[in-house]
Amino acid sequence: MGYRAGEEKDLEGIMAVIHDAQRTMGEAGLDQWQDGYPSEEIIRDDIRNGESRVWEEDGTILGTAMLSFRGEPNYDRIYDGEWKLGNVSYATIHRIAVLSTIRRHGIAGKLLGAMEEEIRGNGFSVIRMDTHRDNVPMQTWLGSHGFVHCGTIFLGRTDETRMAFEKALSLEK
């Protein structure tokens, strides 16, 4: 089936991906997502808000993400750098994860590519994301997919810092 919006019926499959990511990050010694975030209620909110996205194959959710066109209040102020593309409208991707059993099989790239197509279709040409400063695999992945490190943001929910990234998209496919 591939890429689509997440639905209430997908909650169990999405949470399986999230719990798998929490476990693998913890096993790698990474503090990110070790406090119960993102919770089932947060994922339910993503679904209710029309911001949940999944990659599904053969009836199994293999990857998940949150895609928003509303802007991100935590991105209003950036420290130790600047948004390279300036004060522009942008799409935000959060909570991207794939099952560890299929990591390095291109599912995250397919999920990102599908979101980029949706972002372009909505008239946006900039994507912003953030990640934990110790999450080197994610930083590497972002760099390999054209994202540029711009500085540091603070998470409003915890006052923790995150590395902020952005990517310019061509409006042509």
Side-chain angles (χ1 to χ4, degrees), residues 21-142:
Q22 289 166 330
R23 180 187 55 76
T24 56
M25 283 191 274
E27 288 173 356
L30 183 58
D31 189 39
Q32 189 172 9
W33 288 13
Q34 298 307 295
D35 61 356
Y37 176 88
S39 67
E40 186 172 301
E41 190 55 36
I42 288 170
I43 301 304
R44 277 187 201 280
D45 286 345
D46 291 348
I47 293 168
R48 281 188 212 113
N49 293 331
E51 296 176 332
S52 174
R53 299 295 181 272
V54 297
W55 188 273
E56 177 186 21
E57 291 182 5
D58 300 321
T60 301
I61 304 291
L62 301 178
T64 183
M66 181 272 224
L67 173 61
S68 176
F69 297 100
R70 297 182 289 143
E72 169 58 66
N74 291 326
Y75 293 175
D76 289 349
R77 294 179 63 168
I78 187 166
Y79 303 87
D80 303 325
E82 64 184 1
W83 294 114
K84 308 294 187 214
L85 301 171
N87 187 17
V88 297
S89 296
Y90 59 90
T92 307
I93 298 174
H94 287 306
R95 299 185 275 285
I96 188 166
V98 297
L99 287 174
S100 61
T101 55
I102 51 92
R103 249 187 224 123
R104 302 195 197 297
H105 288 96
I107 298 300
K110 289 178 183 179
L111 182 58
L112 176 64
M115 286 188 287
E116 288 179 354
E117 190 173 318
E118 182 178 355
I119 290 164
R120 278 188 207 95
N122 279 278
F124 289 78
S125 62
V126 176
I127 306 171
R128 292 185 176 159
M129 296 179 70
D130 65 82
T131 193
H132 194 283
R133 70 180 56 264
D134 295 335
N135 193 339
V136 175
M138 179 56 119
Q139 295 165 32
T140 302
W141 184 84
L142 288 167

